[in-house]
Amino acid sequence: MIVSIHIPKTAGTTVGYLLDYGSRRRILFDYQEDYLTWREKLPFLLEHAAFIEEYMDIVHGHFYFKKWQAVFPEARFITCVRHPVSRVISQYLHVLNSGEGHFGEAIQEGLSIVDYASVNNIGNAQSVFLDGRDLDDYDFVFLTEDLER
């Protein structure tokens, strides 16, 4: 099992497409809006872990390391990281232009990028998503800035 953590605005969508077709579509996309409350769903996931493992080779999406580590502790974990300032700017501009997300209205009404970056889980998103495992211990780490190479 491969677990691919897609931190927002780190080229995870591109990585997801590659994994999707590279695995012959044996991928479970986990993009639940309420990923902050993953612990509530853990009993369900544990109950269905054997089914997921039988039919899927990869889990990919917006979730914290600890969620799927609790289900598949022996999985290979991969992720894509990006320069933190570039990542926050990209996320801010995405929310500004789309109006989506919890901060869409606030940004459109003038929430500064500095204030946005200071919000927990925004400026420190990469460390929050990957918390629980040292970056050196991930099985593979893509760097957004080097993805083309």
Side-chain angles (χ1 to χ4, degrees):
M1 177 65 68
I2 296 172
V3 177
S4 173
I5 302 168
H6 175 188
I7 302 162
K9 308 315 289 178
T10 61
T13 301
T14 299
V15 171
Y17 285 132
L18 295 171
L19 295 172
D20 184 14
Y21 292 104
S23 69
R24 291 176 289 201
R25 313 220 77 177
R26 290 178 52 94
I27 187 168
L28 172 64
F29 286 103
D30 181 0
Y31 282 98
Q32 297 183 14
E33 288 290 322
D34 57 350
Y35 61 88
L36 297 174
T37 59
W38 66 270
R39 285 181 179 85
E40 296 170 9
K41 295 170 180 59
L42 192 53
F44 177 85
L45 294 174
L46 290 169
E47 181 181 340
H48 294 89
F51 175 85
I52 295 167
E53 194 165 29
E54 181 176 348
Y55 292 100
M56 301 295 160
D57 293 330
I58 301 169
V59 176
H60 175 82
H62 289 162
F63 49 79
Y64 298 144
F65 162 77
K66 291 179 182 178
K67 176 181 183 179
W68 286 100
Q69 189 274 332
V71 180
F72 298 119
E74 301 300 319
R76 292 182 287 169
F77 285 83
I78 66 174
T79 192
C80 195
V81 296
R82 183 177 187 179
H83 188 285
V85 173
S86 298
R87 197 205 68 75
V88 169
I89 291 169
S90 179
Q91 187 171 352
Y92 180 86
L93 292 174
H94 173 78
V95 174
L96 173 66
N97 292 325
S98 69
E100 296 174 357
H102 300 293
F103 294 95
E105 189 174 317
I107 288 174
Q108 290 181 343
E109 291 177 0
L111 179 69
S112 75
I113 193 167
V114 173
D115 290 335
Y116 181 69
S118 69
V119 172
N120 193 31
N121 297 335
I122 301 295
N124 63 342
Q126 294 179 123
S127 61
V128 171
F129 272 72
L130 304 179
D131 182 47
R133 187 176 201 163
D134 289 337
L135 192 60
D136 291 340
D137 293 333
Y138 277 80
D139 295 282
F140 195 84
V141 178
F142 297 89
L143 299 175
T144 302
E145 290 81 3
D146 291 338
L147 199 56
E148 184 177 321
R149 181 167 46 116

